[in-house]
Amino acid sequence: MERLRQDDPARIGDLVALARLDAEGSRGVPERRYLARSVDGGHTVLACLPPPGGDPARWAGEVQQAARLTQPGFWPVAQIGGTPAFPWYASPYRPVLPLPAALAAYGGPLPEPLVRTLGGTLAEALASAHVLGIVHGGVCPAGVLLTACGPLLGCFGATRANPVAAASPAQATGLETGCLAPETAAGGAPDRAADVYALGAVLAYAATGHTVPERQEIPAGLRDIVTACRSRAPEDRPEPARVLAELLPGAAYGALAGATEPVSLPGRVVEALSRQSAEVLAAALPTQGR
């Protein structure tokens, strides 16, 4: 857990903030994320607020869209609250590491088998959203939340695949360098091909520690599919289902996203998840506000 700072809220609605999820100086974090507990101590949640300097009204509107995305493989939006000036949402807590924290715990890029599982699971989740006409529009390393049962994709940024309703490039601020597709950066609305481009950036990050690595830095077994996802031409990027097939040949579609059985994680990552869980359970509610 990361300590609260002086400028962090002590209360989020009827919740008490315990700690930050993201380390100080983390890049590309789409929102402020806190581990929090109800004032009666009855339940613990991950509570989220707009990013610093963000537009609370626009953020709240995107949260309303994200709440409709209940597909397996996505971190759920379970409770929405607050005011127009201070909106927030919360989800039931489970031990979770943002992807950058997982790499930090491991001490570098993740092993290729885990990168394949991670990428295949995210590809399956995106495919299920795209079938419903939903574009995520905010896929990035900090938006990938790794649990003991595999990765979940944070819902923030999800929009209907209607050019009128989709977020504009100006709204896509905060994404890590390399996650924004060229056509989106040039003024186009986020679409399914842009999600695949961002998925390629996440794969590159998990495998190398960078969203824009040199081709030779990418492990040989992942090089072709990552390069294809990150093609500058949207029509040359693969569909998410093909990404899944390339990463995990023979995997049954629908068996990954939302899995309830633990996946094979490096010991140091498991240790970090366990330590976070223990610290959250042991955390005492503050006796007075800051």
Side-chain angles (χ1 to χ4, degrees):
M1 298 198 308
E2 301 295 329
R3 292 177 179 271
L4 293 173
R5 301 187 317 212
Q6 286 296 326
D7 58 346
D8 288 323
R11 293 283 293 268
I12 303 171
D14 58 353
L15 304 169
V16 178
L18 301 174
R20 281 183 168 238
L21 179 66
D22 300 286
E24 180 76 20
S26 296
R27 296 185 304 168
V29 180
E31 50 201 348
R32 289 179 289 164
R33 302 185 291 203
Y34 298 92
L35 304 173
R37 186 171 295 147
S38 59
V39 291
D40 63 3
H43 61 280
T44 304
V45 301
L46 176 63
C48 302
L49 301 173
D55 179 349
R58 182 188 64 79
W59 184 87
E62 292 196 359
V63 169
Q64 293 288 345
Q65 289 277 23
R68 300 187 178 97
L69 189 56
T70 58
Q71 302 298 102
F74 290 89
W75 190 272
V77 175
Q79 180 185 4
I80 298 175
T83 65
F86 190 79
W88 56 270
Y89 75 86
S91 306
Y93 169 75
R94 70 184 81 177
V96 59
L97 294 174
L99 187 56
L103 267 69
Y106 183 64
L110 300 177
E112 183 174 330
L114 179 54
V115 175
R116 288 179 174 273
T117 297
L118 184 147
T121 303
L122 297 179
E124 186 179 279
L126 286 175
S128 69
H130 290 175
V131 165
L132 298 179
I134 297 175
V135 169
H136 191 282
V139 178
C140 63
V144 175
L145 301 172
L146 186 60
T147 74
C149 296
L152 296 172
L153 189 55
C155 291
F156 181 79
T159 60
R160 293 288 174 184
N162 177 341
V164 174
S168 71
Q171 295 172 335
T173 56
L175 288 183
E176 176 127 5
T177 302
C179 294
L180 194 62
E183 68 276 11
T184 308
D191 61 8
R192 292 181 296 180
D195 276 350
V196 174
Y197 185 94
L199 175 60
V202 168
L203 286 168
Y205 178 85
T208 70
H210 309 285
T211 55
V212 191
E214 297 294 333
R215 178 178 167 84
Q216 60 268 26
E217 291 182 73
I218 305 170
L222 299 170
R223 200 168 291 157
D224 287 346
I225 189 61
V226 170
T227 301
C229 288
R230 292 180 53 78
S231 171
R232 293 191 64 83
E235 63 273 15
D236 291 340
R237 297 173 202 151
E239 292 289 333
R242 186 191 139 200
V243 178
L244 169 60
E246 292 279 347
L247 292 173
L248 299 171
Y253 182 81
L256 295 172
T260 57
E261 295 296 323
V263 299
S264 179
L265 297 174
R268 281 169 285 183
V269 175
V270 174
E271 180 184 2
L273 287 168
S274 299
R275 183 169 58 251
Q276 181 195 93
S277 178
E279 290 175 353
V280 168
L281 288 173
L285 292 174
T287 55
Q288 62 183 20
R290 297 191 309 282

